[in-house]
Amino acid sequence: MSTPDPTSAEAVERLRSAVSPPAPPEQPPAPRRWERAAARVAGRGRRAAAGLARRGLTPVLRRAEVEVGSRVQRMVAEALDGDPALAQVREVSQRGGLDPQLIRERDATVHSAHVNLELLKGELRHVQTTLDELGMAFAPGTGLAGAGARYAELRESVYALERRLRTAGSAPVAPSNPSDQADPADPADPAAAPIARATPAEGAPAVLSSTLFDYVGFERRFRGDPDAILTTLVDRYADLLSDHQPVVDVGCGRGELLGMLAERGIDVIGVEPDPGMAAEARARGIRVHEELAGDWLRSVPDGSLGAIITTHVLEHLELDDMIELLELAAVKLGPDSVFISETPNPASLIVLGNSYLLDPTHVRPLHPSLLAFLCEKAGFRDVRLRFYSPAEDYHLPMTAVDEDAPAWARELTASVNKGFTVLNEVLFGPQDYAVIARTPPAPES
Amino acid sequence: MTAPVRLAVHVGRDVPDGLTAVLSALPPDVQPVAASAREALPEGTVAHLYCSDALPRRPATPYAVWRVPGADVGDLGDVPALADAGARHVRPGDLQVSLRAWPDSARPVLPFTRAGLRRVRDLPARLVGEARSDGVSWGAPGEHPAEAPLDTWPTLAALASAVIATGEELWTALAWAAPAVTDAAGARLLGLTPDVDVLVGADPVTRARLAAELADDDLRAARLARSGWQTARSHRPAGVAAELCRRLGVRPAPRSTVSGLTAALDALGTPPHSLVRRRARAATAGLPGAVTSGWRPDREEHS
Amino acid sequence: MDIVVCGAQKPFVRGGAEQHQENLVAALETAGHRVDLVRLPVAWEKGRLFDSPLAWRMVPVDADLVIATNFPSYFVQHPNKVVWLLHQHRGAYDGFEAGASWSDFAWDDVSLEEQRLLTEWDVAALSEARTVFSNSGVVSRRLARFNGLDSTPLAHPPPLHEVLHPGEFGDYVLSVQRQEENKRPHLLVEAMAHVPSPVRAVMAGRGELLDQVRRHVEDAGLAGKVELPGFVPDADLVELYAGALAVVYVPEDEDYGYTTLQAFYAGKPVICAADSGAVLDWVEDGVTGLVCDGTPEGLAAAIRRLADDPALAQRLGAAGRERIADLSWADVVARLTAP
């Protein structure tokens, strides 16, 4: 209350006397000297600490903290002379304590260094995520690690194209996919050429090589809880699909997935060659085309579809049929549309050894990298792989030892754990994977 | 000791300035931790703060969003939103963060006490002060105003019945809880609600009239002064941090160490040298720890 | 719910606030809550003004709901705090403004800084509350004018409301109050000199001025016209209300005052003064009572008017009874405990 401040008589006198001559730039009533100094030091300390934290120099930060602390302590000792509570503060001081205000200043310094560190971590993670995504876009399945090889591969393709251009003269550019040795293109429709040229699939999805096998009964017994499977599919893809309509389910079966998507107001179309299943799907009120996927896809206008999803279908197809389906999909989807295919992951050995071999209609294990490769070749631009549900129930357990266990025990545990981790990955890795491929965006007009 | 609760912070490309300040001002037992969608959350995470450019389709709940320029997330409903005060993308109801320094030694003086101080200092019973870029002017409404240099503004901010100001001077006035009149831009820049926190006049004549009316209306002046002061204070990082915790349902542990007398006195806004602080210190002189917020000098770590 | 009611108390003094807190506890218990009353002493003078608020700040209160009543009990910290404000620190605010002799605040820097700080503390503590109710319009107006805070007046039934009843309109006016300075007991004594027989005045209640007022009556030769029985048991008080012509209540800037409401429960008009504070929330001139100018002559004129026109007294009394028909503790409890 005795501190001179803006409400004091002196301050008011200044206001009154300053009527005409411009007064000397006198400071507005100031806080006590040590307060200003403390604030300045603490502020500087805070900034310094934040800077140091950025460089991760913990020991230096500690030293700075102590320094700020002791300087502030000296100031307190000076400033508190004459305070009635001096004795107590001094007593606390001698035991290593400080005025609470200054303890808080110091704590704030440490605290804001922590906060800065955390935020830097956050920024770093964001960069990491961006890089990972970039890698996945470059090299599905392997991420950044495989980007180099992938890049070399692309360069090789470009050279190959160049060579062929030179040798072919003015001939139309041939698509660089494995089926380009097939029938010649229909010259009347150059846009549809690569696809029309492909051998019409004999029975696109879900072709059975046996006429005796009861697939429906098999599925019922071994595929697992249909409700749980469906919910998982909806959780994984519904948001993405709703951004790209209409959605086509190739091999839609009884239309369970489409039914759930339709409930969310998504425009859906089913393709299912089996009359019994198609009828059940129609009973759900879904538009179903009862024909082979290849036939139906050929019949729709180019660029007219929003999204195509197939679940547990591609692994039932012969290679050429699969390639044709992928190429058709790339053409019939509009710009920046998505193609999703979820299948079992044969790279996880428990899947290969169990469910893959269990189903006799599986043509061959479809490795994620192969599928990603085929998608790229089919003309998709942005191809990503997602892996789901590791077989954690089977995971070999990690061992833990106390910090104070003997060194050999800790080393042993570490190497066992490392081995287990590798085994878990190879044997019991993700059971399903999906390829999510996008068509190129529309050219800027 | 209770484990600290954690606030997971998801940042995108840039870290807004105000974010650092708000996180630094969180209560001591609420720890901010960096988080991302790709890894497990740290133990004890109870809430999330997303920068709008890192907001996923399905954020973990409960969460708050910091509006970052260029990443418009629209109306968030009940989700608390934060933004830098006065930014273009601020929406009504956002918690606004101002990094303006709170003026040294400013204390709220509500109209009733202002009147008393004017009487004691022999100033006019009704006094309007105005800040301009080159100085201040003051006087009873309707009379020819006197001029003074700009550095006397805190005195007017503390004692006038009503003030007219914008920018930094308005901020100072609010810190002193002056009933204030400004222009639309001045109110927007400081995140103030017209007619609740400040009166807004489009031109100098209107502003002078509003200030004169305010000087005559005790009730309105008191409401405006209290509200303007509280709103400005709530924009300081500490105020935003506290409100954020409240809205997210993050409660510091009830037996928080920050329960000492000093913390209680600080929270009430007690000036450093007031009598009651001395009395509190004297009363607890025999009880170490009471003044130091429970902090014990024999403890090594106290972060 | 577990509810803690908080109140301040000056040791060895019992008055309206203490009684009020106990009535609130009883009403909350009737509604099925578990209730405890927490009290801390308070000192009103400047030097020790902030001690009790600070003490309240540090009191650990574990409950589902905390209801704070008077200064400084609302400084208690609780996430679910409701304030039902009976009064603030009157010496720093309205008492100081009115230049009251009992306020130790003066026109100096120290007083003004204490007042300023108290205002800031009050704003901080009251802003934490989920809802701020006040006891009366007067208290709400003070809170708005001094602290810029809004509050909702919430009235409650007075003591004895369940037994008070209307009766004949007799030949005496009744005053029920502590005989203290701010109740202005001398005003009625002086007025009675101007009121012709047979109208009498009965002034029930003790207080520090009782002897002085008794001497005043004797000196003025009004012994037959003004009775000062001192303490009156509740049962007798109810009958005194029932048989009165009107109730005279002319305090200076009263916060609440049960007398007005008790009179209405007994169906009697109330004569008050234009500066009687919260009494004016209830007494509307010519509707539920008469508002006089606060002079002995003015008061006497009002009494004479009712004595000469008993039908008017009956009409005003009935309107008063109408006015309090909706008051109930159940309603008060419902509003204080509303989520």
Side-chain angles (χ1 to χ4, degrees):
Chain A
M1 278 148 287
S2 59
T3 331
D5 79 8
T7 65
S8 63
E10 297 94 295
V12 170
E13 214 35 63
R14 273 209 62 225
L15 184 69
R16 233 194 295 269
S17 63
V19 174
S20 43
E26 187 184 321
Q27 281 304 308
R32 272 174 35 177
R33 169 180 50 81
W34 72 271
E35 266 187 324
R36 257 179 308 152
R40 218 169 35 234
V41 170
R44 203 157 52 214
R46 231 181 348 254
R47 278 192 300 278
L52 291 170
R54 270 201 190 94
R55 277 172 272 150
L57 300 176
T58 318
V60 183
L61 170 62
R62 285 264 156 76
R63 220 165 39 237
E65 238 178 76
V66 171
E67 201 183 309
V68 172
S70 62
R71 287 175 66 180
V72 164
Q73 186 169 6
R74 269 205 311 283
M75 276 186 283
V76 174
E78 283 167 23
L80 284 179
D81 280 339
D83 190 295
L86 179 66
Q88 190 232 341
V89 175
R90 206 168 261 160
E91 186 235 10
V92 177
S93 259
Q94 275 155 9
R95 285 153 59 189
L98 293 168
D99 179 279
Q101 165 107 21
L102 301 156
I103 291 167
R104 276 196 303 282
E105 290 278 9
R106 195 169 67 170
D107 282 352
T109 309
V110 180
H111 188 60
S112 78
H114 279 309
V115 168
N116 274 322
L117 267 180
E118 284 301 330
L119 288 174
L120 283 170
K121 256 197 260 173
E123 276 179 283
L124 192 64
R125 273 172 207 171
H126 181 77
V127 171
Q128 223 167 18
T129 310
T130 313
L131 282 176
D132 282 356
E133 279 186 358
L134 199 65
M136 285 302 270
F138 243 110
T142 51
L144 266 190
R150 183 78 193 85
Y151 179 65
E153 220 177 288
L154 283 175
R155 199 172 44 198
E156 200 45 54
S157 311
V158 172
Y159 290 154
L161 279 173
E162 252 174 9
R163 279 194 301 277
R164 289 173 59 191
L165 262 178
R166 274 199 299 274
T167 54
S170 57
V173 180
S176 60
N177 65 42
S179 63
D180 61 2
Q181 299 94 336
D183 295 354
D186 178 359
D189 185 1
I195 297 86
R197 211 161 9 90
T199 319
E202 284 207 333
V207 168
L208 299 182
S209 53
S210 161
T211 47
L212 304 174
F213 185 64
D214 173 12
Y215 193 79
V216 174
F218 169 81
E219 228 194 348
R220 197 169 293 142
R221 180 169 310 170
F222 293 105
R223 273 295 289 279
D225 176 10
D227 284 347
I229 292 173
L230 271 175
T231 317
T232 313
L233 286 175
V234 169
D235 280 350
R236 283 177 192 163
Y237 307 120
D239 283 341
L240 180 58
L241 291 172
S242 69
D243 293 342
H244 299 90
Q245 302 187 34
V247 172
V248 180
D249 186 353
V250 167
C252 71
R254 297 187 191 80
E256 290 106 326
L257 174 61
L258 291 185
M260 292 185 75
L261 294 177
E263 272 172 29
R264 297 176 160 226
I266 300 176
D267 181 15
V268 299
I269 301 168
V271 182
E272 175 57 54
D274 182 84
M277 297 228 216
E280 279 190 52
R282 267 190 214 104
R284 288 176 204 271
I286 294 164
R287 186 156 38 119
V288 180
H289 298 277
E290 195 184 307
E291 47 188 324
L292 294 171
D295 296 346
W296 182 76
L297 282 174
R298 263 186 291 277
S299 74
V300 301
D302 290 358
S304 63
L305 303 178
I308 295 177
I309 181 165
T310 80
T311 59
H312 295 263
V313 167
L314 294 187
E315 71 273 25
H316 298 268
L317 298 188
E318 291 295 343
L319 185 59
D320 284 0
D321 297 333
M322 193 191 322
I323 290 167
E324 193 212 0
L325 180 68
L326 294 175
E327 287 176 349
L328 271 169
V331 171
K332 300 300 180 181
L333 285 167
D336 200 22
S337 301
V338 290
F339 173 82
I340 301 173
S341 171
E342 190 180 296
T343 64
N345 177 20
S348 174
L349 294 184
I350 192 162
V351 176
L352 188 64
N354 267 298
S355 42
Y356 230 106
L357 291 182
L358 182 63
D359 186 340
T361 67
H362 281 159
V363 173
R364 71 160 55 74
L366 187 52
H367 194 280
S369 301
L370 173 64
L371 183 54
F373 173 80
L374 295 177
C375 286
E376 278 179 61
K377 292 290 172 189
F380 287 101
R381 171 68 62 90
D382 178 38
V383 183
R384 316 265 177 121
L385 288 168
R386 293 276 151 81
F387 293 88
Y388 301 115
S389 15
E392 277 163 348
D393 292 351
Y394 295 93
H395 275 188
L396 303 166
M398 298 292 143
T399 324
V401 282
D402 290 343
E403 295 262 330
D404 48 6
W408 62 266
R410 275 182 283 144
E411 271 170 37
L412 184 64
T413 313
S415 79
V416 166
N417 283 348
K418 197 176 161 202
F420 276 11
T421 309
V422 173
L423 279 178
N424 284 341
E425 224 162 81
V426 175
L427 294 176
F428 311 119
Q431 299 176 82
D432 294 316
Y433 76 93
V435 63
I436 297 176
R438 286 170 188 269
T439 51
E444 303 270 335
S445 48
Chain B
M1 276 215 52
T2 43
V5 295
R6 296 198 156 94
L7 174 70
V9 184
H10 306 251
V11 298
R13 221 172 37 255
D14 301 307
V15 174
D17 274 356
L19 178 60
T20 317
V22 168
L23 294 182
S24 300
L26 284 170
D29 40 7
V30 178
Q31 283 186 356
V33 287
S36 73
R38 319 192 119 215
E39 62 199 338
L41 286 172
E43 209 176 306
T45 299
V46 295
H48 299 259
L49 174 60
Y50 293 95
C51 288
S52 60
D53 59 347
L55 183 67
R57 279 185 85 103
R58 291 181 197 179
T61 52
Y63 70 100
V65 175
W66 190 293
R67 292 187 200 277
V68 173
D72 187 26
V73 285
D75 186 19
L76 289 160
D78 288 342
V79 173
L82 301 93
D84 294 311
R88 293 240 164 260
H89 54 277
V90 165
R91 288 173 181 240
D94 284 1
L95 301 178
Q96 300 188 31
V97 184
S98 170
L99 294 176
R100 281 171 199 274
W102 196 253
D104 279 342
S105 78
R107 343 180 265 284
V109 188
L110 288 184
F112 182 49
T113 308
R114 282 169 187 265
L117 281 167
R118 286 197 297 276
R119 180 175 150 169
V120 171
R121 301 274 178 261
D122 219 9
L123 288 165
R126 291 160 67 239
L127 190 164
V128 172
E130 180 168 5
R132 304 202 195 88
S133 55
D134 56 345
V136 304
S137 63
W138 60 278
E143 287 173 21
H144 188 72
E147 308 281 332
L150 199 55
D151 63 10
T152 57
W153 178 246
T155 298
L156 287 173
L159 300 181
S161 320
V163 300
I164 304 168
T166 56
E168 205 54 46
E169 279 70 36
L170 178 57
W171 183 250
T172 303
L174 295 173
W176 284 97
V181 180
T182 186
D183 55 24
R188 197 186 55 80
L189 205 64
L190 297 191
L192 305 166
T193 311
D195 291 337
V196 176
D197 301 322
V198 282
L199 296 185
V200 170
D203 54 84
V205 177
T206 312
R207 288 193 284 277
R209 178 178 55 76
L210 286 172
E213 284 170 16
L214 204 50
D216 251 347
D217 187 342
D218 285 354
L219 199 62
R220 183 148 202 219
R223 284 216 169 94
L224 208 62
R226 194 265 308 154
S227 180
W229 172 67
Q230 282 187 320
T231 301
R233 263 169 67 93
S234 75
H235 290 173
R236 297 186 309 165
V240 173
E243 180 64 10
L244 178 65
C245 287
R246 198 188 65 74
R247 300 266 302 269
L248 286 173
V250 177
R251 283 230 176 99
R255 285 171 206 289
S256 159
T257 50
V258 187
S259 54
L261 277 172
T262 310
L265 287 161
D266 289 352
L268 289 165
T270 320
H273 308 295
S274 59
L275 179 65
V276 61
R277 276 194 197 266
R278 287 166 182 242
R279 288 183 66 82
R281 275 206 290 262
T284 53
L287 310 169
V291 170
T292 53
S293 309
W295 178 75
R296 304 264 296 282
D298 52 355
R299 226 171 65 206
E300 279 289 319
E301 289 293 320
H302 51 87
S303 52
Chain C
M1 257 196 294
D2 285 358
I3 303 175
V4 167
V5 174
C6 297
Q9 193 207 0
K10 208 167 159 60
F12 312 114
V13 173
R14 255 187 78 78
E18 286 75 15
Q19 196 180 9
H20 177 85
Q21 288 148 5
E22 281 153 23
N23 291 342
L24 172 59
V25 168
L28 289 165
E29 278 171 344
T30 306
H33 299 291
R34 209 155 67 121
V35 191
D36 240 331
L37 178 56
V38 174
R39 280 183 176 144
L40 288 184
V42 59
W44 292 86
E45 68 272 20
K46 262 194 336 249
R48 298 195 291 167
L49 177 57
F50 293 95
D51 292 2
S52 189
L54 185 56
W56 274 109
R57 215 62 194 154
M58 307 298 295
V59 172
V61 180
D62 293 328
D64 301 323
L65 171 68
V66 164
I67 301 175
T69 53
N70 49 356
F71 172 85
S73 66
Y74 49 79
F75 281 90
V76 69
Q77 298 199 75
H78 193 274
N80 193 20
K81 173 164 87 176
V82 169
V83 176
W84 188 17
L85 190 63
L86 306 187
H87 58 76
Q88 297 173 264
H89 186 285
R90 300 194 56 189
Y93 294 117
D94 54 294
F96 170 55
E97 187 178 40
S101 55
W102 43 267
S103 167
D104 62 349
F105 278 69
W107 295 104
D108 58 53
D109 280 23
V110 174
S111 291
L112 288 170
E113 173 56 21
E114 298 270 292
Q115 182 196 61
R116 185 205 68 74
L117 186 58
L118 181 67
T119 311
E120 182 176 2
W121 278 34
D122 272 351
V123 167
L126 291 166
S127 295
E128 294 161 358
R130 208 158 46 86
T131 324
V132 179
F133 293 103
S134 71
N135 207 19
S136 67
V138 169
V139 174
S140 279
R141 279 190 292 279
R142 285 187 200 139
L143 196 55
R145 215 157 62 77
F146 298 132
N147 303 80
L149 289 166
D150 290 323
S151 58
T152 314
L154 174 60
H156 64 283
L160 302 178
H161 69 276
E162 67 281 4
V163 290
L164 284 164
H165 58 85
E168 294 297 313
F169 283 71
D171 63 351
Y172 62 92
V173 291
L174 176 66
S175 138
V176 182
Q177 64 190 21
R178 290 185 61 79
Q179 311 303 340
E180 284 170 352
E181 200 62 66
N182 76 318
K183 308 283 187 191
R184 297 190 288 207
H186 294 289
L187 196 54
L188 179 55
V189 177
E190 281 165 31
M192 288 311 288
H194 305 281
V195 177
S197 296
V199 179
R200 297 175 294 130
V202 179
M203 298 175 69
R206 287 175 297 188
E208 56 196 18
L209 297 185
L210 180 57
D211 291 339
Q212 195 192 333
V213 177
R214 278 181 171 149
R215 268 199 308 280
H216 183 184
V217 169
E218 274 173 33
D219 294 351
L222 293 167
K225 286 180 81 174
V226 180
E227 296 168 28
L228 280 149
F231 172 75
V232 176
D234 286 353
D236 299 348
L237 193 61
V238 167
E239 294 316 313
L240 272 177
Y241 269 117
L245 168 67
V247 170
V248 173
Y249 192 46
V250 286
E252 185 185 353
D253 201 17
E254 180 57 69
D255 295 346
Y256 197 61
Y258 286 130
T259 308
T260 316
L261 294 180
Q262 288 181 328
F264 284 2
Y265 273 88
K268 304 300 175 187
V270 172
I271 302 172
C272 70
D275 58 355
S276 289
V279 181
L280 295 160
D281 289 358
W282 302 94
V283 179
E284 200 178 330
D285 192 35
V287 180
T288 55
L290 296 175
V291 180
C292 73
D293 60 5
T295 61
E297 295 75 20
L299 178 56
I303 296 171
R304 279 205 307 272
R305 195 173 153 200
L306 291 179
D308 293 346
D309 187 355
L312 174 64
Q314 280 184 26
R315 205 165 61 240
L316 300 180
R321 206 166 148 75
E322 186 76 12
R323 187 86 163 66
I324 47 84
D326 290 338
L327 280 190
S328 81
W329 273 106
D331 176 55
V332 168
V333 167
R335 292 181 66 186
L336 288 176
T337 59

